[in-house]
Amino acid sequence: MQQKDDVYFMNLALEQAKEAASIGEVPVGAVIVCNEKIIARSFNMTERLNDATAHAEMQAFTAAMTAIGGKYLNQCTLYVTLEPCPMCCGAAFWTQIGRIVFGAKDERRIFGNVKELYHPKTVVKGGVMERECSQILKTFFKNKRNRNK
Amino acid sequence: MQQKDDVYFMNLALEQAKEAASIGEVPVGAVIVCNEKIIARSFNMTERLNDATAHAEMQAFTAAMTAIGGKYLNQCTLYVTLEPCPMCCGAAFWTQIGRIVFGAKDERRIFGNVKELYHPKTVVKGGVMERECSQILKTFFKNKRNRNK
């Protein structure tokens, strides 16, 4: 039986990112885990939903709160392939999520410093499967640039 | 005919906040206006939706993007009775909303500095109907404390 560690769950988040890429969305995927059980899976859907706020994390938070029937996710871990933006950090704050594990660092960050936005009780770990999570984004944007030439 | 100025639209946002209070939600209301036309009305629904991210502004952004069929709100103004939190500022950034007018200052702010989170092109104005927007919150929390005694 495969051990369900951070790499295991990040792989599932990466599967979500691949689904996003397959329909032309910026490939960021997320899963939320509670007691080793996945309670939410999602990917970025800003294009499909025509909603600039439909990041993978936002979808995942809402789905997870629905799944557990409560407003707080302090017993849960969010796995997300890209470091959360300020909006998603702010959302994470309100959910009081216990732990956030992200893959790639957000090198394209265009606004805000997220460090002060996390909930003080949220444990944050970055760089899990960083290369794979970063590569899927780089490939996506490279292909996009080539199509636009 | 009544002039449709900031006070006019903030009054409509305050009506939304009153609706929130009437069902036991923290009374924050919002409207989004485009060319003097209201394209979204909403209020905080964190309790009803069991979703800690269901702030008035988040609902309004999604509704407004659906209404105009586009991801950007640069021609729009958000009227909200309370100064936005970092999550909502981050969301506003992604929508590139043209203008934000808020009522009460967020005196209870518990995390984050929002100033660096606004989009550089977003014009922000605070303090419109500040007294009324603040009073409805104070009354709500006072009643809540009294019920909990």
Side-chain angles (χ1 to χ4, degrees):
Chain A
M1 191 178 146
Q2 189 174 4
Q3 199 195 343
K4 292 187 175 177
D5 57 8
D6 286 345
V7 171
Y8 173 85
F9 289 117
M10 189 59 81
N11 252 311
L12 297 180
L14 191 58
E15 286 302 317
Q16 293 293 308
K18 286 176 188 167
E19 287 220 34
S22 75
I23 59 165
E25 296 279 359
V26 173
V28 180
V31 299
I32 292 181
V33 176
C34 193
N35 298 325
E36 296 206 344
K37 204 175 140 192
I38 293 163
I39 59 170
R41 296 170 197 256
S42 62
F43 53 81
N44 172 52
M45 291 205 282
T46 50
E47 297 301 324
R48 181 181 275 195
L49 297 181
N50 225 348
D51 182 342
T53 71
H55 287 190
E57 300 94 315
M58 300 302 290
Q59 317 285 325
F61 290 141
T62 297
M65 288 181 279
T66 301
I68 65 171
K71 277 195 310 172
Y72 300 112
L73 303 175
N74 45 306
Q75 301 298 317
C76 305
T77 299
L78 165 73
Y79 291 89
V80 58
T81 57
L82 178 64
E83 187 179 8
C85 77
M87 169 181 71
C88 294
C89 286
F93 179 95
W94 292 119
T95 70
Q96 300 184 15
I97 196 156
R99 195 161 166 258
I100 295 177
V101 180
F102 68 83
K105 276 211 177 254
D106 183 6
E107 290 167 9
R108 302 170 74 241
R109 184 175 302 288
I110 47 176
F111 75 111
N113 178 356
V114 298
K115 285 201 182 123
E116 65 177 39
L117 300 177
Y118 287 116
H119 194 283
K121 287 190 183 163
T122 300
V123 177
V124 182
K125 176 180 174 183
V128 172
M129 294 183 64
E130 185 167 7
R131 200 181 55 80
E132 296 89 335
C133 293
S134 172
Q135 193 56 51
I136 190 173
L137 282 160
K138 283 180 183 158
T139 304
F140 177 83
F141 286 114
K142 190 178 163 193
N143 290 344
K144 205 173 175 183
R145 279 194 301 274
N146 287 343
R147 273 199 304 278
N148 292 342
K149 266 180 190 167
Chain B
M1 193 178 145
Q2 190 174 3
Q3 199 196 340
K4 292 187 176 177
D5 57 8
D6 286 345
V7 171
Y8 172 87
F9 289 116
M10 189 59 81
N11 252 310
L12 297 180
L14 191 58
E15 286 304 315
Q16 293 293 307
K18 286 175 189 167
E19 287 221 33
S22 74
I23 58 165
E25 296 279 358
V26 174
V28 180
V31 298
I32 293 181
V33 175
C34 194
N35 297 324
E36 296 206 343
K37 206 175 140 191
I38 293 163
I39 60 170
R41 295 171 199 255
S42 62
F43 52 80
N44 172 52
M45 291 204 282
T46 50
E47 297 302 323
R48 180 180 276 195
L49 297 181
N50 224 347
D51 182 342
T53 70
H55 288 191
E57 301 94 313
M58 300 303 288
Q59 317 284 327
F61 289 141
T62 297
M65 288 180 279
T66 301
I68 65 170
K71 277 195 311 172
Y72 301 112
L73 303 175
N74 46 307
Q75 300 298 315
C76 305
T77 299
L78 166 72
Y79 291 88
V80 58
T81 56
L82 177 65
E83 188 178 8
C85 78
M87 170 181 70
C88 294
C89 285
F93 179 95
W94 292 118
T95 70
Q96 300 184 14
I97 197 156
R99 196 161 165 256
I100 294 177
V101 179
F102 68 82
K105 275 211 179 255
D106 184 5
E107 289 167 11
R108 300 170 76 240
R109 185 176 300 291
I110 47 176
F111 75 111
N113 178 356
V114 298
K115 284 203 182 119
E116 63 176 38
L117 300 177
Y118 287 117
H119 194 283
K121 287 190 183 164
T122 300
V123 177
V124 182
K125 177 180 174 182
V128 172
M129 294 183 64
E130 186 167 6
R131 199 181 55 80
E132 296 89 336
C133 293
S134 172
Q135 194 54 54
I136 191 173
L137 282 160
K138 282 179 184 158
T139 303
F140 177 85
F141 287 113
K142 191 179 164 194
N143 290 344
K144 204 172 176 184
R145 279 193 302 273
N146 287 342
R147 273 198 305 276
N148 292 343
K149 265 179 191 165

